[in-house]
């Protein structure tokens, strides 16, 4: 395209499919599906493994994710194995070379003593009405665990710190549904109960940016082409 035909940027307005380089940007990926027995319970921050059958069936999705992500992004992962294994599969599919760092602030919400409770028994544990789209409301504090308010506080701190330390760079964070909703709450400046209305599916990408100290949301729950 000749220089006279190039569009003149309008601030940071996005109107083309390509995202501009040099922006402090987070690519937030939820881990893949966990194994079947874990899915029958409230596993929260327990370190449950991925479902190997699902991983084999969804290899096209890993390849699609790898193509979507910038090659020079800086990588971070929750310390839970399901997040690290998901990151490894995507990185293998895309032949990413840079190291990956573990950051415990992106771990899933801990529900403490309630971990391992079967889904059908979980509502009896609650002191407050559950959220319509999450297993508990943001203010509910499980014994020995943390509320979604707590999750939002630690995720917010992580985002601000990483954005400052990696200004102008793309960052991939492989994390969990609750932590990604917390990131969206921070970017939008809304109460966690509001952000819990977002759907965050396995292997989806959500994209947020910090520009001149302000946050915006570029994409939420963007799913790869699992057919590759």
């Amino acid at each position: 395209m000749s220089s006279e035909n190039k569009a003149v940027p309008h601030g940071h307005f996005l109107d083309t499919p390509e995202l501009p380089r040099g922006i402090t940007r987070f690519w937030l990926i939820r881990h893949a599906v966990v194994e079947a027995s874990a899915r029958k319970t409230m596993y929260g921050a327990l370190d449950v493994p991925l479902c190997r059958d699902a991983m084999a069936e969804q290899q096209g999705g890993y390849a699609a994710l790898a193509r979507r992500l910038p090659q020079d992004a800086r990588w971070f992962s929750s310390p839970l194995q399901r997040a690290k294994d998901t990151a490894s599969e995507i990185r293998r599919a895309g032949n990413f070379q840079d190291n990956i760092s573990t950051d415990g602030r992106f771990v899933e919400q801990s529900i403490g003593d309630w971990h391992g409770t079967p889904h059908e028994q979980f509502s009896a544990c609650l002191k407050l009405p559950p959220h319509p789209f999450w297993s508990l409301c943001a203010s509910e504090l499980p014994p020995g665990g943390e509320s979604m308010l707590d999750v939002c506080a630690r995720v917010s701190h992580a985002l601000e710190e990483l954005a400052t330390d990696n200004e102008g760079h793309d960052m991939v964070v492989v994390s969990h549904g609750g932590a990604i909703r917390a990131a969206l709450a921070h970017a939008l400046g809304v109460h966690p109960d509001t952000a819990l209305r977002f759907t965050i599916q396995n292997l989806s990408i959500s994209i947020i940016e910090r520009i001149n100290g302000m946050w915006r949301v570029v994409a939420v729950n963007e799913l790869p082409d699992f057919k590759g």
Side-chain angles (χ1 to χ4, degrees):
M1 180 184 293
S2 63
S3 59
E4 63 267 21
N5 291 329
K6 288 185 177 179
V8 177
H10 176 64
H12 291 285
F13 182 73
L14 294 174
D15 60 357
T16 63
E18 298 81 19
L19 295 178
R21 306 303 302 274
I23 300 296
T24 307
R25 182 178 297 119
F26 290 87
W27 304 72
L28 306 165
I29 301 175
R30 187 185 175 196
H31 63 81
V33 177
V34 302
E35 57 96 11
S37 62
R39 296 200 301 271
K40 296 177 181 178
T41 69
M42 296 295 298
Y43 56 87
L46 294 178
D47 206 358
V48 300
L50 294 179
C51 175
R52 294 295 163 180
D53 290 341
M55 290 181 72
E57 294 171 359
Q58 296 172 347
Q59 282 304 303
Y62 292 102
L65 284 170
R67 290 192 298 270
R68 180 78 171 94
L69 299 170
Q71 273 289 326
D72 59 352
R74 299 174 180 181
W75 283 71
F76 302 87
S77 173
S78 154
L80 296 184
Q81 197 63 46
R82 60 185 181 269
K84 293 193 291 185
D85 286 349
T86 300
S88 295
E89 285 295 304
I90 299 169
R91 287 163 59 81
R92 182 189 59 79
N95 196 29
F96 291 92
Q97 299 299 317
D98 289 344
N99 293 329
I100 182 167
S101 300
T102 299
D103 193 322
R105 294 172 295 184
F106 290 109
V107 77
E108 184 56 286
Q109 178 183 10
S110 170
I111 54 173
D113 295 349
W114 297 345
H115 278 126
T117 304
H119 290 289
E120 62 272 16
Q121 299 175 19
F122 190 72
S123 61
C125 300
L126 303 178
K127 297 180 175 61
L128 301 172
H131 191 278
F133 304 111
W134 194 244
S135 299
L136 60 172
C137 72
S139 301
E140 182 84 60
L141 180 60
E146 58 183 346
S147 69
M148 275 300 297
L149 300 175
D150 298 325
V151 176
C152 284
R154 61 171 163 80
V155 169
S156 296
H157 183 267
L159 290 172
E160 293 291 348
E161 183 180 282
L162 290 177
T164 297
D165 292 346
N166 299 275
E167 187 174 357
H169 291 278
D170 286 285
M171 288 161 278
V172 175
V173 179
V174 184
S175 185
H176 309 268
I180 293 172
R181 289 173 175 90
L184 293 170
H186 180 71
L188 291 171
V190 299
H191 193 276
D193 273 329
T194 301
L196 288 174
R197 298 182 188 183
F198 285 113
T199 293
I200 304 295
Q201 292 168 265
N202 296 106
L203 294 179
S204 67
I205 296 178
S206 298
I207 306 170
I208 61 175
E209 299 174 336
R210 192 180 79 172
I211 301 173
N212 299 327
M214 297 185 67
W215 290 88
R216 74 171 170 189
V217 176
V218 176
V220 176
N221 199 48
E222 178 184 300
L223 291 170
D225 178 4
F226 289 104
K227 296 180 181 179

